[in-house]
Amino acid sequence: MVYASTSPDDVIDGFLPHPPRSADSYRALDIWANQPLWSVVGSPGAAPAVTDGAQRLTFAELEAAARRRAAGFRSAGLQPGDRVVLQCVNSVALVVNLLGLLRAGAVPVLTLPAHRITEIAHLAEVAGAVGYICHDRAAGFDYRELAADLLGRVPSVRFVWVEGDPGAFAPPPDLTIDAETDSGAASGPEDGHRADPDTPAVFLVSGGTTGLPKLIPRTHNDYRYNIERATEVTGLSAADTYLVVLPAAHNFPLACPGFLGALRLGAHVVLTDDPAPDNALDLIEQYGVTVVALVPALAQVWTAATEWEPADLSSMRLMQVGGARLAEADARAILDAWPCRLQQVFGMAEGLICTTELDDDPETVVGAQVTPMSTLDEIRVVDADGTEVDEGELLTRGPYTLRGYYRAEDHNRRSFTPDGFYRSGDKVRRLPSGRIAVTGRIKDTIVRAGENVAADDVEDLLLAHPRIRRVAVVGLPDPTLGERICAAVISDRADLDLADVRAFLLDRGVATFMIPDEVRHVSTLPITAVGKVDKRAVVAGLLG
Ligand code: AMP
């Protein structure tokens, strides 16, 4: 195991690399391949590579399109190392732009379609982005207006490229390369830029449910290894058809193994931006989809839909569910309804990915007893004093986990230990089997009258109430308590009130300080860009 730390003095322009000793050992073990990220895509051929509702490209066509796009970006003035904010809906265009940017040596900032000007301007500013790529419109939103706003707010942004109807802007550029330079002998952008593999290849966006997102630098070496390990733990092969339905710029459908993992092995990638079950289940039948990655809320809806949707789902081999906790009852329902394996995935865009294994028995899968996907992942479970305990906060370090957010020194002091472990904020328990189970969030706590109350503990208790379908427990400002506990509930009984909830919890012997001070009925719970309950928006809704 490698114990080398990186000091803040090692920061290069806001990026904290892995310390040389760790990096050298990962290279010596051959897990860092020293190859550019774009080369992870499988070799050209006539097999289908990417398909959306409008177009399909073979592997040969995808490579040619990415080369033309890279050459177009370079001739438009994009330089290696330039950062470009990419905000596309799930489409072939997203894949071509991503691979084109990578081949040109630019560093994509992978934002989600649901981000708006506040997040995009913040991310562009922190990244020092020179460009922004988007679609014209999607889901009733005009990204060209966002682009105009961005140009006014962030002076470093010089290029705007728009897919579809570009309006006042230009479409992403393509430059046809002649056959000679196309042969691969030259080392221009048409051949693909080869950056230092220990520098950021892409910036992911942190998926926090509070505060503005942060930039997660993922290097060529670490991200490639992430993809390779994830393809192994999912048993992905060229025979698979991988459906992308979560926002494709999110780490899970991007690289765990995601569409990059699928393309690495020569599997077919089908992209859709309509997660509604009637569309998605049809696509499974139409393309013979074998693997899909979902968040629990979507898995739940699709599972219910198997009851009435007539689609043939027999091609399915694996459903990965992650990004938030999957309730046991939902996991059992998935196993009952789907003709495929379920793999629970607990992970973070910051790095560490843990999964259940393909040959696990159903109880292990349902219980989400997960293992880190690399034997080089270092895990610590600690209490508030940093002492190792069986149940506490998960700290992690390893060959594909970041050493620091980009240009976020203050935040990094809080989010990392001095010896480089990332403080995940997740509460986990070490199991006798050596696996871990996620039991909650350390950071999602309400401080009520000086007492720390874990919001998800209260949520679990309330979900046992027969009339509560969904619930989000949040802290609201209170002049005497500091924060009071508010349960925002979705219930089929409008007269369910605080007295009912109190009686129910007291009956179960719950500590009084954990009992909500307030119960509010809501019709929906707002979700983040990738489908997790957005606590910040819940609070804003309750206060507003
Ligand atoms: P993101 O970076 O958007 O993938 O968010 C990572 C965070 O999502 C983790 O730190 C966890 O808090 C949460 N998360 C991801 N997967 C799971 C899971 N299977 N169970 C519980 N929480 C999860």
Side-chain angles (χ1 to χ4, degrees):
M1 205 90 335
V2 188
Y3 292 103
S5 68
T6 312
S7 89
D9 302 339
D10 299 322
V11 175
I12 306 162
D13 175 34
F15 165 63
L16 198 58
H18 282 255
R21 267 183 55 208
S22 318
D24 289 346
S25 75
Y26 297 146
R27 257 185 280 277
L29 290 167
D30 236 11
I31 62 165
W32 277 10
N34 286 338
Q35 294 296 324
L37 185 59
W38 56 261
S39 68
V40 80
V41 174
S43 34
V50 279
T51 300
D52 63 18
Q55 60 173 327
R56 166 182 293 203
L57 300 181
T58 64
F59 275 87
E61 289 164 342
L62 176 62
E63 176 166 316
R67 281 171 177 252
R68 283 196 299 274
R69 188 60 50 89
F73 284 141
R74 291 295 295 272
S75 77
L78 216 56
Q79 295 296 317
D82 279 349
R83 284 84 201 259
V84 176
V85 175
L86 183 61
Q87 188 179 30
C88 287
V89 297
N90 288 357
S91 58
V92 169
L94 181 151
V95 182
V96 171
N97 281 315
L98 173 64
L99 296 178
L101 287 170
L102 290 172
R103 277 184 169 267
V107 187
V109 179
L110 289 163
T111 65
L112 308 178
H115 285 134
R116 291 294 174 258
I117 185 67
T118 309
E119 290 93 16
I120 296 292
H122 167 75
L123 295 166
E125 183 125 39
V126 177
V130 302
Y132 172 67
I133 303 177
C134 62
H135 274 90
D136 47 3
R137 298 178 59 82
F141 183 77
D142 195 326
Y143 291 90
R144 293 163 300 192
E145 287 173 15
L146 190 154
D149 209 354
L150 182 65
L151 282 174
R153 289 196 199 199
V154 184
S156 62
V157 176
R158 288 180 282 125
F159 305 105
V160 171
W161 291 298
V162 179
E163 291 284 353
D165 170 6
F169 302 105
D174 285 320
L175 190 72
T176 307
I177 310 143
D178 66 49
E180 220 172 79
T181 39
D182 205 18
S183 69
S187 60
E190 55 284 353
D191 186 38
H193 183 79
R194 290 176 179 271
D196 175 346
D198 292 339
T199 58
V202 294
F203 285 104
L204 303 180
V205 168
S206 69
T209 51
T210 51
L212 279 169
K214 293 172 290 296
L215 287 169
I216 298 170
R218 302 296 302 258
T219 68
H220 297 269
N221 269 334
D222 93 62
Y223 216 37
R224 201 182 163 107
Y225 176 59
N226 185 122
I227 294 164
E228 286 173 2
R229 266 315 287 149
T231 56
E232 285 160 14
V233 299
T234 48
L236 209 66
S237 79
D240 279 310
T241 299
Y242 182 92
L243 178 63
V244 182
V245 65
L246 296 176
H250 187 268
N251 186 44
F252 189 17
L254 176 66
C256 304
F259 72 83
L260 288 176
L263 293 176
R264 168 174 178 257
L265 295 177
H268 183 194
V269 172
V270 177
L271 300 111
T272 179
D273 59 357
D274 177 4
D278 51 346
N279 171 60
L281 270 51
D282 276 0
L283 289 176
I284 292 175
E285 175 174 321
Q286 185 182 349
Y287 293 105
V289 169
T290 60
V291 182
V292 67
L294 300 176
V295 289
L298 211 49
Q300 197 188 14
V301 174
W302 287 21
T303 299
T306 58
E307 301 249 320
W308 61 83
E309 288 291 341
D312 175 3
L313 306 173
S314 58
S315 58
M316 281 288 293
R317 176 177 76 74
L318 180 67
M319 179 187 287
Q320 292 183 290
V321 179
R325 182 151 160 248
L326 177 66
E328 260 194 54
D330 291 335
R332 287 188 201 285
I334 291 170
L335 288 178
D336 284 348
W338 289 81
C340 64
R341 292 199 169 105
L342 167 65
Q343 180 175 57
Q344 296 229 35
V345 181
F346 159 67
M348 49 210 74
E350 284 81 358
L352 179 71
I353 301 292
C354 305
T355 67
T356 57
E357 282 157 32
L358 293 184
D359 54 4
D360 277 344
D361 59 73
E363 286 311 304
T364 307
V365 175
V366 164
Q369 301 181 16
V370 293
T371 319
M373 70 173 178
S374 167
T375 52
L376 293 164
D377 285 318
E378 299 171 62
I379 301 286
R380 279 191 200 152
V381 180
V382 299
D383 66 12
D385 303 327
T387 310
E388 293 261 359
V389 285
D390 284 340
E391 182 166 4
E393 184 177 15
L394 169 77
L395 311 185
T396 185
R397 188 169 74 166
Y400 61 100
T401 295
L402 86 175
R403 289 296 182 127
Y405 292 104
Y406 186 61
R407 291 183 177 157
E409 249 181 80
D410 279 354
H411 197 87
N412 286 341
R413 265 192 287 277
R414 292 191 297 276
S415 297
F416 293 83
T417 64
D419 55 354
F421 277 80
Y422 170 59
R423 299 183 203 270
S424 71
D426 292 311
K427 194 163 145 203
V428 301
R429 191 169 59 243
R430 278 190 193 277
L431 303 171
S433 60
R435 296 192 180 204
I436 55 175
V438 186
T439 52
R441 288 275 308 157
I442 297 281
K443 287 173 193 159
D444 191 6
T445 49
I446 300 162
V447 188
R448 182 189 184 277
E451 204 76 58
N452 279 322
V453 179
D456 26 23
D457 284 350
V458 185
E459 284 162 6
D460 281 351
L461 292 165
L462 290 173
L463 279 174
H465 192 294
R467 311 318 302 231
I468 294 179
R469 279 203 294 126
R470 298 189 64 202
V471 61
V473 168
V474 294
L476 296 181
D478 187 277
T480 37
L481 297 169
E483 278 187 304
R484 65 180 186 278
I485 304 174
C486 178
V489 299
I490 299 183
S491 168
D492 52 14
R493 229 191 64 189
D495 60 345
L496 177 87
D497 62 8
L498 184 59
D500 291 332
V501 168
R502 276 186 146 274
F504 176 78
L505 294 178
L506 286 172
D507 202 38
R508 285 179 149 57
V510 171
T512 47
F513 67 82
M514 288 179 74
I515 292 178
D517 301 292
E518 200 179 333
V519 170
R520 298 267 287 270
H521 286 262
V522 293
S523 52
T524 56
L525 288 174
I527 53 170
T528 65
V530 285
K532 310 182 195 194
V533 172
D534 185 344
K535 294 273 174 104
R536 194 164 51 133
V538 173
V539 171
L542 293 172
L543 294 177

